[in-house]
């Protein structure tokens, strides 16, 4: 099966919410994207209808989203797009667009940002110290 990867620019509609999914954490937020077009006849910019996406970011990416993003931030998200169809309480079929993020960042066309590398965590094993891994990820044992 071929996955559809897209890059979407928009604004966070809510603060990042983190939940546990099995043994992994997933962070979710809503991303609003409003297309803007120049209307030649009137000489004015016109906003189109806002499209809303649910963005899911897993594990370390999700933790970094939680620590970095706030409601109203302009962001760029690249990931796998999926349409989820479900039935609401009124019995109507609803389609929700979900973007499983592969990468997320502030939109630097809208402002400035400072990058800070995530802290690395050292873990000990019976064989000795292990290789450091980014916070939120399992550290690997050193090669023998």
């Amino acid at each position: 099966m071929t996955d559809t990867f897209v890059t979407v620019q928009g604004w966070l509609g809510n603060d990042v919410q983190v939940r546990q999914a099995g043994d992994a954490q997933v962070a979710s937020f809503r991303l609003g994207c409003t297309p803007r077009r120049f209307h030649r006849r009137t000489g004015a910019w016109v906003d189109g209808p806002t499209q809303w996406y649910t963005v899911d970011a897993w594990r370390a990416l999700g933790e970094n989203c939680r620590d970095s993003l706030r409601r109203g931030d302009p962001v760029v998200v690249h990931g796998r797009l999926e349409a989820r169809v479900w039935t609401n309480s009124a019995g109507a079929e609803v389609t929700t667009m979900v973007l499983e993020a592969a990468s997320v960042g502030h939109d630097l066309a809208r402002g400035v940002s400072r990058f800070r590398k995530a802290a690395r965590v050292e873990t000990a094993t019976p064989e000795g110290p292990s290789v450091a891994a980014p916070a939120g990820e399992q550290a690997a044992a050193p090669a023998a």
Side-chain angles (χ1 to χ4, degrees):
M1 181 166 105
T2 304
D3 291 331
T4 302
F5 277 82
V6 297
T7 301
V8 181
Q9 180 276 330
W11 304 85
L12 260 70
N14 64 310
D15 284 329
V16 178
Q17 304 293 315
V18 178
R19 70 181 189 282
Q20 196 69 26
D23 58 351
Q25 283 191 337
V26 60
S28 296
F29 57 90
R30 297 283 288 161
L31 183 67
C33 306
T34 305
R36 200 148 208 249
R37 306 277 187 264
F38 185 74
H39 193 272
R40 290 183 190 182
R41 193 169 302 180
T42 63
W45 287 93
V46 179
D47 287 342
T50 300
Q51 300 169 358
W52 287 95
Y53 300 89
T54 298
V55 177
D56 288 340
W58 291 80
R59 298 175 184 77
L61 176 59
E63 292 174 16
N64 292 338
C65 286
R66 176 199 60 211
D67 295 342
S68 303
L69 304 177
R70 299 292 170 260
R71 180 180 181 205
D73 282 356
V75 296
V76 178
V77 179
H78 179 75
R80 185 178 302 118
L81 185 64
E82 178 185 343
R84 294 186 184 161
V85 180
W86 51 282
T87 304
N88 67 13
S89 59
E93 193 172 89
V94 178
T95 301
T96 303
M97 301 305 290
V98 178
L99 187 55
E100 186 177 318
S103 58
V104 178
H106 283 112
D107 183 355
L108 299 182
R110 310 266 180 216
V112 297
S113 184
R114 293 260 187 247
F115 179 78
R116 181 174 44 93
K117 194 170 183 176
R120 297 178 69 82
V121 177
E122 294 283 340
T123 59
T125 64
E127 297 83 27
S130 67
V131 176
E137 292 185 11
Q138 184 71 21

